[in-house]
Amino acid sequence: MDAYNPRTVEEVFRDFKGRRAGMIKALTTDVGEFFQQCDPEKENLCLYGFPSEQWEVNLPAEEVPPELPEPALGINFARDGMQERDWLSLVAVHSDAWLLSVAFYFGARFGFYKTDRERLFNMINDLPTIFEVVTGSAKKHTNEKLLVSNHSSKKSKSNSKDEVDDGIEEEDEDEHGEALCGACGENYADDELWICCDICEKWFHGKCVKITPARAEHIKQYKCPSCSGNKSARPS
């Protein structure tokens, strides 16, 4: 199938981004559904991401060798044997490894030379990993919930390298600037609504969770789609 046989660096990267987006959905906005499908009573299950930005939990392919590298087997078996956050983080790490293996499988299959492989890796490396998105490892530890203007954040970014212990406020502002959206995995940008879940403390673009500035002003405690179990919000 053409959808599974990208032949250029750009096509492989597009394939990578689609699969990555699907797996991020499974581990963030669709996490309730993903958790339910990973029943430990079932056989070895894998998490698949597709170029269409969709995801699926299913048994591995039966053919040997398979058409594509297979994801980690048996992710469902550990579901109830560890903390949910730790389990999701572990699945995220294996998902990152699978995405790289698929991308470079295509690169090997279609004869990418060193320069093309390097360009592909650099394009992939510019995106935060699924693990970074799921764990929020690149962002804040603050109780402040909304950030509509980025003026103070930009200032803290430029000064953060020279100001190590210059107060909690400056540190929090810099962390805001380095935050990644828990839905789409992209960075904070100027003049965007930015809202933090009071439960899991992950940050989200307002547009990704369908929160407007007017609505945000009246929210006393915000719960993201994952924590509220609401599957209706999707990245736009």
Side-chain angles (χ1 to χ4, degrees), residues 54-107:
Q54 301 302 311
W55 60 272
E56 178 183 73
V57 172
N58 210 336
L59 296 171
E62 294 184 359
E63 69 264 25
V64 179
E67 181 183 3
L68 292 177
E70 290 289 350
L73 287 172
I75 59 171
N76 51 312
F77 295 148
R79 192 195 73 177
D80 297 337
M82 56 197 307
Q83 293 290 327
E84 181 177 342
R85 180 171 293 187
D86 293 336
W87 174 66
L88 292 173
S89 298
L90 183 62
V91 175
V93 168
H94 284 290
S95 297
D96 282 318
W98 179 67
L99 287 177
L100 284 173
S101 69
V102 170
F104 282 86
Y105 165 84
F106 286 133

Side-chain angles (χ1 to χ4, degrees), residues 21-33 55 182-184 202 204 208-209 224-227 229-235:
M23 299 178 100
I24 288 176
K25 284 182 182 178
L27 299 173
T28 56
T29 55
D30 293 351
V31 69
E33 182 181 351
W55 60 272
C184 69
K202 291 181 180 179
F204 298 86
C208 289
V209 290
C224 69
S226 174
C227 293
N230 176 18
K231 306 298 191 300
S232 60
R234 294 289 186 273

